[in-house]
Amino acid sequence: MNSKRIRQLVLTPLALFVAVLTRAQIPVMEIQENGKYHPDQTVILQQLSADIKIVGNIATTTMRMSFYNRSARLKEGRLTFPLPEGVSVSGFALDINGVLRKAVPVEKEKATAVFESIERRQVDPGILEKTEGNNFRTRIYPLNPNGARTIEITYNQELRNSNGQLVYHLPLANKEIGSFSLSASVYETVDVPQLAEKPDGSFVFEKKGNVWKASVNKSNFTPTQSLKIAFPQQADAPKTLVKKKDAGSWYFLTNVHITPPAPVARPLQQVTILWDNSLSGLKRDHQKEKAFLEKLFATKSNINVTLYAVATTTKKVGDYTVSNGAIGALLKAVDEMTYDGATDYSTIPASLAGGGDILFFTDGLSNFGEWSRLPARPVYTVVATPVANYSKLQYYSNSTGGQLINLNQTEGDAAATQVLNKPYRFLGVKYLYDVTSVNPATAVVSGGDLMITGIARKLPVTITLQFGYGNKVEKEIPVTLDARQTAGDWTIETFWAQQQLAQLEPFYDQNKDAISRLGKEFGIVTANTSLIVLESVEDYVKYKITPPAELLQEYKALVKSRKEAQDAAWGDYREAARERMKELKEWWNTSYPVKRSIKKFTPPRPVPDTQVMYETTVAPAATADGRARVVSGEELKEVPAANTSGFLQGRVAGISADAKLEEVVVAGYSAPKGKVRTIDIKSDAAYLKQMDAAATIDAAYKVYLRLRETYQTTPSFYFDMANWFYDKKAAVLAVSIVSNLVELELEDAELYKTVAYLLKKYGEYDKELIITKKVLDWRPMDPQSYRDYALALQDNGKYQQALDTLYAALTQTYTEESMNRDNGIEEVLLMELNNIASRYGARVSTSKIDKALLYDLPVDIRVVLNWNMDNMDIDLHVTDPRNEECYYGSKETSLGGRISDDFTDGFGPEQFLLKKAVKGKYQIKTNFFGERRVTVAGPPTLMAEVFLRYASGKEERKIVVFQDARGSQASSSNGQTLIAEFEF
């Protein structure tokens, strides 16, 4: 067994738990197996402690949780939790050798690159990151058998008004917890805080100085209630804290409970409703949304409503007249909505039919396109799901004169009032001579509470807050900032930074540098800043990450002595590309065929079984029903050595080769005409038989929707269905259906890559560009991300940007482990870079490119095999008319066939080149050796791009995209999949 196969057997076990922090429960453990989530009774919450600090309408909560793995299996965890509007995470700690170590802020892409690099050594750090919307997740490894891991998370929030009171709510599960402790401190209030709910009767508040305190400690305790603390509010009475920033300035934070003057009603005669009916729309609380509409139209007569459905396209559903609250027809249209496809705000017309204000029911997660121009009328964004992009929706509302209606926190009556009355607004601070960086600049005062932060140049100083309707000042409230209002150890600067970030995030591309600076300075998790914990001080040194205070002295000493090792941890591909270009030039200028004996590949001696980890998933064994199953290391040891290779290459049910062949004839070239036939590799899933039985496309779509109820979270289902409709010439439906993959998981690059491959195949190049750009934003630590985006740019005719992006892939710095994984990718990049440079000549500039990397390299045949998942071993094989096979074991043929380096545990790609084709038949095959983990994205998606006359100016391209579940049923031997044939 050679080293390639041994690497394939070494698996990082992936047992994934997900915890969702909502208004109803504390984190709940779930395990992931084969892409499915289910409760895991073997991993329990052993210890929970929470510390809460409250002043005015702000609160900071620190939660410490210990999870105990009482099973005999090693597990890896992930905590995923959406947080409400106005909440941010500013602290994370993970136990290292039994001691909690605080995380430090790092650029998100660097944190991910370092995490994955160390993970390859089987020693993992902890990382907390923010995904789309206000959603956070942390990955934890290892959860050792019969062992525990402890994490600590700190988050900040603004409290919301409910019936004239501010309310703090901490959800607590009705499950036994081995060790439970809870403490709360409430500052600057005269009245005793009211406990609307409490987990135990001994939890009561006592006054200590100017602070109300309560605590409880229990063993083997089952909370019977959550914690809910209510505070009566005093109108127009600011509560203010200040904290020294530097020698010449102070942070300040003031909370004001506003009582607006008599509400100013506004006419409601026309309304335009945008209803997000993408797949993720199923997760919204439609009962709350409909109840809000009923309240809104309850007392009005003759309101004209125009309803649109927004998903991958925006379609007008109909016009409705609501008379005296009778909205049955409108609600019926809403109930009959079909939720399918991704979300594309760019399809919303700039000029919408209908009139009046716009009510937009959505979560703000537009994954297929953004609004290029907002409507010229007020937009009221309506949120009824905990997973939402609040900052984006707030921007849409504020910039158009509307409001964000958060049905998670506002009841239907109050929400309707927000629309029926003119919005009462905070208009800013009068005379900004002595204060700066005030947040928010302006805002709608909803719920009667407002938090204002800023920086004062001197103290004491009095600032004047202005409020009113439109731009007219109706009310002024003076606020005195005084050094005696000191916040002590309260980190009010974090709230200031949090509000600054909320202003910047809607314009992420323009503000990403400022967002990163704020995130790192204040330790806040942002869209591009994560919190990371590393196990050893050597790793902080290696990856140039400043550690927490307790390791700083040792870190500085090591930096001085290990500067060279620190620099070696990061590098680029420029030098390797220069050497590879020399090889390519020599190969291209060699005359073929050459007379030589064909060398057979001889595998090295097998590695002893003791070096195989105890759990793997790569061996494609199958159960009686044909499904792949996990095979343990013990089982692998029982396989005779002589049969190991065949065992790894065994066939598994999953895909089949269709007899239908596509043909492209390439003419106008001095060499003989060539043609390429690509194999249409189809799934053999049983549900496709039901699709084939449908008489029409409309009938088939209904069958698809019915089947989706069973397969809603199965990625391969959407892949198969999209291809089915595409084959039936229903391309619009195919694009809509495959786009569902980006709705299944937040920021899942593997699912996005699958979508990009099919969009390229379907010729939907504009959407391919959007999807590949998102992957590049999330994963700039992979050269494949630059490459995919560059080729999408090329597909869209953006040749200079494509050229620059390909060169960026060679010149970006990557971790040492990543470069080892992707060693050889420079050969693929060089071919593509030079293709653009030679084909588009005067339309592109190569002035910034190293001249040693430029050379015209036209070839008769080029094949590139791509796949969407890391930790994969997939091989490209090409057999020529002499029956000579070019693959990783025989990298060059006598005809001049050349294959790039073998990628055994990364994303690929692998490339075959033949400068001059001879007459005869060529076969292209793929060989799946296996994966090293289970993934939400399902089986790997492969895309083969097959070129004739590459870089000649007359090239032709065919694309094959298919999914391979540990081997194939295609018409080939040794577990290989025949994907295309050439004839010259």
Side-chain angles (χ1 to χ4, degrees), residues 561-606:
S561 62
R562 300 191 181 186
K563 183 64 167 64
E564 292 183 4
Q566 186 186 36
D567 291 339
W570 299 88
D572 61 42
Y573 289 100
R574 275 177 283 197
E575 187 57 39
R578 293 186 191 102
E579 293 302 313
R580 194 59 59 115
M581 178 53 79
K582 293 177 184 177
E583 293 180 20
L584 283 169
K585 286 181 181 179
E586 181 180 354
W587 164 79
W588 196 87
N589 288 299
T590 300
S591 295
Y592 292 95
V594 296
K595 293 181 180 180
R596 63 180 177 84
S597 59
I598 300 173
K599 295 182 179 179
K600 297 291 185 180
F601 176 71
T602 303
R605 290 185 303 170

Side-chain angles (χ1 to χ4, degrees), residues 432-535:
L432 290 173
Y433 297 127
D434 297 316
V435 296
T436 186
S437 302
V438 174
N439 301 301
T442 61
V444 173
V445 182
S446 59
D449 297 292
L450 181 68
M451 179 178 75
I452 299 168
T453 63
I455 298 173
R457 295 192 179 97
K458 67 175 185 178
L459 292 181
V461 65
T462 298
I463 61 175
T464 302
L465 312 180
Q466 297 184 317
F467 300 85
Y469 296 103
N471 294 319
K472 183 180 179 182
V473 176
E474 303 279 348
K475 188 174 189 175
E476 294 186 337
I477 299 177
V479 177
T480 299
L481 309 177
D482 192 290
R484 290 173 296 181
Q485 299 162 331
T486 179
D489 62 351
W490 192 287
T491 57
I492 64 168
E493 65 272 21
T494 302
F495 288 91
W496 172 83
Q498 183 175 316
Q499 286 193 317
Q500 286 277 94
L501 288 165
Q503 307 275 38
L504 296 171
E505 284 178 346
F507 306 95
Y508 176 78
D509 286 339
Q510 302 95 307
N511 297 322
K512 59 184 178 182
D513 291 339
I515 292 170
S516 180
R517 284 195 301 272
L518 278 169
K520 289 195 292 184
E521 181 180 356
F522 294 95
I524 298 175
V525 183
T526 71
N528 60 3
T529 310
S530 298
L531 296 177
I532 192 167
V533 178
L534 303 183
E535 183 172 12

Side-chain angles (χ1 to χ4, degrees), residues 14-248:
L14 183 64
L16 190 66
F17 70 81
V18 174
V20 180
L21 182 63
T22 69
R23 294 172 62 87
Q25 61 186 29
I26 60 172
V28 175
M29 189 77 67
E30 291 185 324
I31 202 95
Q32 182 212 59
E33 290 181 347
N34 298 324
K36 302 292 184 181
Y37 294 106
H38 59 85
D40 176 21
Q41 302 301 321
T42 66
V43 180
I44 61 172
L45 182 61
Q46 185 183 51
Q47 184 263 342
L48 171 67
S49 66
D51 179 68
I52 303 116
K53 296 167 69 174
I54 302 171
V55 63
N57 72 332
I58 63 172
T60 295
T61 303
T62 300
M63 292 187 68
R64 182 176 296 182
M65 294 164 282
S66 291
F67 295 102
Y68 180 71
N69 178 13
R70 53 186 179 182
S71 76
R73 293 179 55 206
L74 186 71
K75 300 187 179 184
E76 177 175 330
R78 186 179 76 180
L79 228 67
T80 301
F81 48 99
L83 290 178
E85 177 189 4
V87 180
S88 68
V89 175
S90 61
F92 172 58
L94 175 69
D95 69 307
I96 302 294
N97 298 323
V99 178
L100 274 181
R101 179 172 295 169
K102 290 190 178 297
V104 293
V106 179
E107 296 90 344
K108 184 177 180 179
E109 62 268 23
K110 182 175 181 178
T112 304
V114 170
F115 181 93
E116 293 180 357
S117 293
I118 298 177
E119 188 178 42
R120 291 179 183 277
R121 294 192 253 126
Q122 312 298 322
V123 178
D124 287 359
I127 182 174
L128 179 70
E129 58 189 357
K130 184 178 183 180
T131 62
E132 289 179 293
N134 209 36
N135 305 288
F136 301 82
R137 67 186 176 201
T138 178
R139 293 182 280 179
I140 308 166
Y141 177 87
L143 283 167
N144 288 315
N146 301 309
R149 294 303 300 271
T150 300
I151 66 168
E152 183 179 270
I153 296 175
T154 300
Y155 59 91
N156 309 299
Q157 65 188 113
E158 295 180 57
L159 306 182
R160 299 298 171 180
N161 190 288
S162 177
N163 299 321
Q165 292 183 316
L166 287 176
V167 176
Y168 172 88
H169 179 233
L170 179 69
L172 296 171
N174 189 25
K175 292 184 179 180
E176 184 175 278
I177 301 171
S179 175
F180 174 83
S181 64
L182 178 66
S183 63
S185 302
V186 182
Y187 297 76
E188 302 294 334
T189 183
V190 176
D191 299 323
V192 59
Q194 301 300 307
L195 287 165
E197 292 183 24
K198 56 183 178 178
D200 182 78
S202 62
F203 189 82
V204 294
F205 278 101
E206 296 179 357
K207 192 71 175 288
K208 297 183 179 180
N210 67 339
V211 183
W212 292 95
K213 290 182 176 289
S215 64
V216 63
N217 294 277
K218 296 282 185 178
S219 296
N220 300 320
F221 175 67
T222 302
T224 56
Q225 290 184 322
S226 296
L227 175 64
K228 189 174 287 187
I229 310 173
F231 318 91
Q233 292 296 284
Q234 183 179 354
D236 304 343
K239 295 181 175 64
T240 302
L241 293 173
V242 299
K243 187 171 184 178
K244 194 80 170 178
K245 179 179 183 292
D246 51 41

